[in-house]
Amino acid sequence: MKHFRKLIFVCNGSDCKKAGAKKLNKDLKSLTDEAPFKGSCKFIKTKCMDMCKTAPNVIVGDYFCKKTTAEKVLLQIKKS
Ligand code: FES
């Protein structure tokens, strides 16, 4: 049986930090520490993705989450 971890890229550039990327990162880590997601996600902090107008930005698989929240990212993780 194969076990895949989903890669989630969270922008930590200055504009995304101002828009709440640090809190988003904390929320995502605490939410994915619980039951169905535990051990299935790997968070990677990135530098600016050049999409600052839509901060905070997160990439889940091949989906780009703009102006996102932890809940929206979780929904996307469930879908992918
Ligand atoms: S700081 Fe996040 S896209 Fe530029």
Side-chain angles (χ1 to χ4, degrees), residues 57-76:
N57 295 309
V58 176
I59 296 176
V60 181
D62 53 0
Y63 187 82
F64 202 98
C65 305
K66 299 171 183 173
K67 292 186 179 179
T68 195
T69 61
E71 288 74 25
K72 286 182 191 173
V73 175
L74 269 191
L75 273 178
Q76 193 54 44

Side-chain angles (χ1 to χ4, degrees), residues 11-74:
C11 178
N12 267 256
S14 58
D15 283 342
C16 285
K17 267 187 190 167
K18 278 181 208 162
K22 274 191 174 179
K23 187 181 179 311
L24 178 67
N25 220 356
K26 267 189 188 175
D27 290 350
L28 281 174
K29 280 189 178 167
S30 65
L31 284 172
T32 54
D33 263 354
E34 294 164 6
F37 302 109
K38 192 164 175 68
S40 67
C41 299
K42 168 86 178 156
F43 292 96
I44 299 166
K45 291 180 182 176
T46 68
K47 291 183 178 176
C48 180
M49 298 175 181
D50 234 10
M51 298 280 285
C52 304
K53 283 185 180 173
T54 57
N57 295 309
V58 176
I59 296 176
V60 181
D62 53 0
Y63 187 82
F64 202 98
C65 305
K66 299 171 183 173
K67 292 186 179 179
T68 195
T69 61
E71 288 74 25
K72 286 182 191 173
V73 175
L74 269 191

